Amino acid sequence: MVSMAGQLRERLGQDGIIVAPGAYDMMSLLLANQHQFSAHYASGYWVTASILGLPDVGIATYRDFITQFARLAQASSAPLIADADTGFGSLVNLDHATRGYQDANIAAMQIEDQCFPKVCGQHGATEICSIEEMQQRVKVSCTARDGGDMLIIARTDARRSEGRNAALNRLGAYADAGADIVFLEAPKDACEIEEAAQHLKKPLMINAAHGGHGTILNPSQYASLGVKIIIYPSGPALAAAKASDNFYGMLAADDANSNCDGMFDFPRMSSLLGFDDAVMLEQSFNQKDN
């Protein structure tokens, strides 16, 4: 059987773009499973928000990440791409994290070139490490796979602080260090994305973060620019938050029924969670006993 990482590698070698929506908790993942995407994406920002209710500023630890990401990877019907921030500390920490991600059947691990501790690249000002330090991170991650097939994604947050050319030079250096996929964060426009895809030798990954920096395009539009992987990490969480906020507001105004037509179907959710299978299992054994 081909591993999830193997499936993602095969998909990278085929025509077309890989669309990876965000999955920030188990219910969002189960819903994403229903739509047969080529991959799913686990964001550090949204997992930190969903399990800790805290900002993405390096507070969440490796243990916080891997505990949730391992659950997501186990339940995902598609290869899971997972955020690993800057590697959770030293190169020794990164080596340990890489092995843990691979053992959890995560298909691709994403590391970035911010200094530790990091801050969300779509929100605050970022401090970037040297090219050489990030190359070391990439090399450590590639070595720590120890013959495994998990892919290593190298992300640069240098576009906003150092400019377009510096960001592209960094990604070229990270590709030379062994990264399987390169990730340009916060490009200014479509022209920059297309230039990056043409300039870089490795598959290009772009972040379509609703509410963040840059214009949100459709997957087909990113594909026409040469992007190989497009992630939509914030759309599902923001949509769910908006729906929940609307309900809480109505309930606070003594209205529990106005928006029922806009709610997700409860029997369908129960089915996704496995209630139907549990009932069938109970019934099958009860019949045998009788």
Side-chain angles (χ1 to χ4, degrees):
M1 180 181 293
V2 179
S3 68
M4 284 295 192
Q7 291 180 36
L8 185 58
R9 287 180 180 274
E10 289 180 3
R11 188 68 182 80
L12 283 171
Q14 298 169 358
D15 293 336
I17 192 169
I18 297 170
V19 180
Y24 58 93
D25 66 7
M26 294 304 294
M27 287 196 297
S28 64
L29 178 75
L30 294 175
L31 290 168
N33 279 346
Q34 302 300 297
H35 296 275
Q36 300 180 342
F37 290 102
S38 300
H40 296 140
Y41 180 73
S43 157
Y45 180 107
W46 290 108
V47 167
T48 301
S50 66
I51 66 175
L52 299 178
L54 293 172
D56 181 24
V57 291
I59 295 173
T61 65
Y62 163 72
R63 185 54 52 191
D64 293 322
F65 275 35
I66 195 62
T67 298
Q68 183 71 337
F69 291 168
R71 294 190 185 110
L72 294 171
Q74 183 177 18
S76 181
S77 63
L80 184 72
I81 301 168
D83 193 354
D85 284 354
T86 62
F88 308 104
S90 69
L91 295 179
V92 174
N93 295 122
L94 176 57
D95 176 274
H96 178 74
T98 304
R99 297 175 190 277
Y101 274 48
Q102 182 160 261
D103 288 344
N105 201 28
I106 290 167
M109 173 182 172
Q110 169 201 314
I111 54 176
E112 59 201 46
D113 60 3
Q114 290 193 40
C115 295
F116 177 83
K118 55 79 57 84
V119 63
C120 172
Q122 292 288 333
H123 190 273
T126 58
E127 183 179 355
I128 311 301
C129 72
S130 68
I131 292 176
E132 292 75 19
E133 182 176 346
M134 182 59 180
Q135 285 182 308
Q136 284 293 93
R137 293 177 187 174
V138 172
K139 291 176 182 178
V140 166
S141 291
C142 290
T143 301
R145 290 181 296 189
D146 194 24
D149 59 357
M150 183 177 71
L151 292 102
I152 302 301
I153 301 171
R155 166 178 140 178
T156 186
D157 285 68
R159 172 61 188 91
R160 293 173 59 204
S161 59
E162 298 181 358
R164 175 187 62 188
N165 291 337
L168 293 183
N169 288 337
R170 280 177 170 273
L171 290 180
Y174 305 160
D176 291 340
D180 301 293
I181 299 163
V182 289
F183 180 173
L184 176 61
E185 176 71 323
K188 184 178 180 181
D189 52 33
C191 291
E192 284 194 8
I193 295 173
E194 186 172 32
E195 179 186 12
Q198 294 174 350
H199 175 80
L200 297 165
K201 300 176 183 178
K202 295 292 179 71
L204 176 64
M205 178 166 152
I206 294 292
N207 181 9
H210 289 78
H213 296 281
T215 302
I216 305 299
L217 304 177
N218 296 328
S220 59
Q221 293 173 299
Y222 285 111
S224 70
L225 299 174
V227 175
K228 193 60 187 179
I229 302 178
I230 180 65
I231 60 173
Y232 291 87
S234 58
L238 290 175
K242 178 64 173 177
S244 295
D245 189 48
N246 286 342
F247 177 78
Y248 294 139
M250 290 187 307
L251 189 60
D254 195 38
D255 181 359
N257 294 296
S258 291
N259 197 36
C260 289
D261 290 342
M263 292 182 182
F264 193 81
D265 183 67
F266 178 71
R268 183 181 169 199
M269 177 58 70
S270 297
S271 179
L272 288 176
L273 293 171
F275 276 89
D276 294 344
D277 293 336
V279 170
M280 288 179 61
L281 179 66
E282 289 280 358
Q283 290 177 343
S284 69
F285 278 91
N286 286 335
Q287 290 172 357
K288 290 177 182 178
D289 293 338
N290 293 333

